[in-house]
Amino acid sequence: MKRTIFSLCFLVTPLFAFSQFSAFLIGGYGMGFSHYQSTELGVFFDSYNAYQKSTGANLTQEFKNDIPTSRGTYWQIGGAIGGPACQAVLTVEVIKTQTKAMSARFDNTYGRDVWCNYRTSNSTVGIRFGNPAKFPVWGQFDMDMGVQMVTINSEYVYSDGSKSIGLDHDLNGRFSNFGFAIGLGAELGVKIYGPVHFVASAHWLPNLNKQHPEYHEFEDLSDWNALRSDYIPRDMNEYVNNPTNSTGNSISNDFRGLRFTAGLQLTLGNYGKE
Amino acid sequence: MAKNNFKTLALAAISAITFAACDPGDLGIKRMYHGDGTWTIESLRWQTFDSTGTKTVIDTTQENLGELIFFRSKTTNALFDHYCVVAQMKQADGSFVDNPGEVFFDGVRANMQEDPDGNHNYPDDLEGLWTVTENHRKSQVWTIYANQPNGYLGMKKTLTLKKK
């Protein structure tokens, strides 16, 4: 206990080393991008490609396990406290992004599109360095903890280009899973005018669990799926022959990678003021 | 002069970022029950296809069938995010008949079905899991597909709604 108190004082004291005390609120909004990869989604893609070929279907375009960078928006609120050149920052942010479709096509132009939505709600604890009153650039090191929801959307494409996510095909659906995510990252801010800063950040979310669990992770929890398969399979042969095997044959959530944001941050307080 | 140029650049940067990041977001069912929640059923188009699923054999459209009224309240199936909806269907004599049902809507799919009350009867033509083909603030296009036994497209039904 005494050691913990001493450590906290050791960490916090430098923030107040300067005579001027700095405290401000933070609000941010801008563009978000996620570049995630998933070995498990690749297992589904490979199995889908192999199964279609085994049935004699002419797959002119196969699924490739190269998830496109998603794009969307983020917003954040929070606050900071410390000295004029070093502050402890705590923010809460929500980032929502969507990828473009990954496609498989047959020679009769039918096919399947798969795309992903990511929604991350996390808390960020950071240490910010820099005094915008003297030099308009600052940097911040972050640690994130939060919840990430991944939704895999799977729709069938007809020959006229129209797309269905309905009950006409078993693989159609919106399959979601949410899990705990932690990350490390950094931010770079440039004071534009007054309390407005341009901020760019990069965070890395590692995959902490590389094991495929023997239970159902991605699910399409809709009441119309009560008697249908509501998962994305690892093995298409098993899916077709034994669709009720939703535990052992379901892909798990290993979506992890890099997340970037670029946007505006508003600081309300005495940050960056002489 | 330099200060004015910087201010102009700053305002341009703020506008560019705000515009680029502008995203109406996934409003879900809120888009449907917003305001008085009333949408006109502009048309319902039926298409049936030949055995190859590529050529249209029958193509008919019914127009101005009535209205769909979406409510903010959930049904007894709240666990699955089902909300109350009433299909006010126009009759041959110009009168309207109210048909309560329940709806799920997330901007990508829309499911309309009978609600748990056994005395209610939702129109068969509107029941089913629709793919939201177009999702705009004042107009919606939803589509349902059905396959033939040979796996090719057999029927396509397209519902067009306009915010009243």
Side-chain angles (χ1 to χ4, degrees):
Chain A
M1 180 68 177
K2 282 184 189 170
R3 248 188 260 176
T4 307
I5 294 171
F6 177 77
S7 303
L8 278 171
C9 289
F10 182 76
L11 283 170
V12 171
T13 301
L15 301 176
F16 298 94
F18 300 92
S19 56
Q20 188 180 355
F21 177 70
S22 176
F24 53 94
L25 297 175
I26 293 169
Y29 179 74
M31 299 181 288
F33 308 88
S34 298
H35 186 70
Y36 292 158
Q37 293 303 321
S38 166
T39 304
E40 286 288 286
L41 188 62
V43 169
F44 163 66
F45 282 165
D46 290 343
S47 176
Y48 181 92
N49 294 336
Y51 175 78
Q52 297 300 336
K53 288 175 193 170
S54 72
T55 63
N58 187 8
L59 199 55
T60 54
Q61 181 183 342
E62 297 183 8
F63 276 123
K64 289 194 175 79
N65 188 20
D66 185 15
I67 303 174
T69 301
S70 66
R71 184 193 156 172
T73 58
Y74 80 94
W75 60 265
Q76 69 174 179
I77 54 170
I81 192 169
C86 183
Q87 301 88 29
V89 178
L90 177 64
T91 57
V92 170
E93 59 183 10
V94 174
I95 306 142
K96 293 185 341 183
T97 60
Q98 181 172 308
T99 70
K100 287 186 180 173
M102 294 162 276
S103 304
R105 291 289 183 271
F106 302 96
D107 59 358
N108 54 11
T109 69
Y110 282 60
R112 180 161 292 283
D113 282 351
V114 171
W115 79 96
C116 303
N117 292 104
Y118 311 124
R119 180 190 165 103
T120 308
S121 304
N122 65 239
S123 302
T124 299
V125 174
I127 300 291
R128 183 176 292 198
F129 299 95
N131 186 352
K134 293 190 178 350
F135 185 68
V137 178
W138 51 264
Q140 181 174 314
F141 294 103
D142 292 334
M143 189 171 84
D144 307 324
M145 283 178 293
V147 171
Q148 178 165 273
M149 167 97 89
V150 178
T151 299
I152 302 174
N153 304 272
S154 175
E155 63 183 359
Y156 191 78
V157 182
Y158 287 96
S159 60
D160 64 350
S162 52
K163 300 177 183 184
S164 171
I165 203 164
L167 298 175
D168 45 305
H169 289 85
D170 285 341
L171 270 179
N172 291 351
R174 306 194 76 194
F175 307 91
S176 300
N177 175 261
F178 64 91
F180 180 66
I182 65 170
L184 295 170
E187 299 179 35
L188 185 70
V190 177
K191 180 179 170 180
I192 297 177
Y193 183 69
V196 181
H197 307 250
F198 171 79
V199 179
S201 77
H203 291 82
W204 172 59
L205 279 73
N207 183 6
L208 300 174
N209 181 8
K210 295 189 191 299
Q211 292 180 336
H212 167 68
E214 291 306 313
Y215 59 86
H216 201 167
E217 284 204 330
F218 283 104
E219 296 175 302
D220 184 356
L221 288 175
S222 311
D223 68 333
W224 57 80
N225 279 328
L227 298 174
R228 299 175 79 242
S229 15
D230 65 345
Y231 62 97
I232 295 182
R234 309 185 90 237
D235 183 335
M236 278 295 296
N237 273 313
E238 175 70 5
Y239 180 76
V240 170
N241 296 316
N242 186 16
T244 57
N245 184 15
S246 60
T247 49
N249 193 30
S250 172
I251 70 168
S252 48
N253 185 356
D254 66 345
F255 281 74
R256 291 294 186 270
L258 291 168
R259 191 178 69 225
F260 306 94
T261 61
L264 299 174
Q265 190 177 92
L266 189 68
T267 57
L268 298 175
N270 62 356
Y271 184 57
K273 292 178 182 168
E274 296 285 357
Chain B
M1 177 75 171
K3 200 173 176 181
N4 283 338
N5 286 342
F6 185 73
K7 277 186 193 175
T8 307
L9 276 171
L11 278 170
I14 290 167
S15 305
I17 288 172
T18 307
F19 179 75
C22 190
D23 174 19
D26 181 6
L27 298 176
I29 191 72
K30 288 181 189 172
R31 167 161 284 174
M32 302 310 292
Y33 66 54
H34 179 70
D36 67 0
T38 306
W39 294 72
T40 304
I41 305 174
E42 235 186 26
S43 66
L44 183 61
R45 181 184 181 190
W46 292 83
Q47 292 168 276
T48 52
F49 297 85
D50 67 358
S51 59
T52 65
T54 54
K55 289 183 186 158
T56 308
V57 173
I58 299 173
D59 189 343
T60 61
T61 302
Q62 297 169 282
E63 293 179 341
N64 296 319
L65 289 171
E67 293 175 351
L68 289 179
I69 307 167
F70 295 83
F71 293 87
R72 294 168 192 261
S73 50
K74 286 192 173 182
T75 69
T76 53
N77 209 355
L79 180 66
F80 291 105
D81 283 331
H82 283 232
Y83 286 75
C84 296
V85 66
V86 170
Q88 214 167 48
M89 304 306 287
K90 197 172 181 181
Q91 305 302 296
D93 60 2
S95 62
F96 288 88
V97 171
D98 289 345
N99 303 278
E102 58 183 26
V103 62
F104 167 89
F105 180 89
D106 64 5
V108 178
R109 302 181 291 190
N111 184 56
M112 293 198 286
Q113 61 189 37
E114 307 275 359
D115 67 16
D117 189 327
N119 294 319
H120 295 161
N121 183 28
Y122 204 70
D124 292 342
D125 285 349
L126 300 182
E127 284 189 45
L129 178 61
W130 301 79
T131 298
V132 178
T133 311
E134 289 179 29
N135 179 17
H136 303 298
R137 199 165 57 88
K138 296 206 169 189
S139 67
Q140 296 276 320
V141 177
W142 300 355
T143 317
I144 278 187
Y145 301 83
N147 290 331
Q148 302 175 57
N150 62 8
Y152 289 120
L153 180 61
M155 184 275 295
K156 181 176 168 182
K157 195 163 61 172
T158 307
L159 180 69
T160 304
L161 305 174
K162 276 275 191 293
K163 188 83 170 79
K164 198 174 177 186

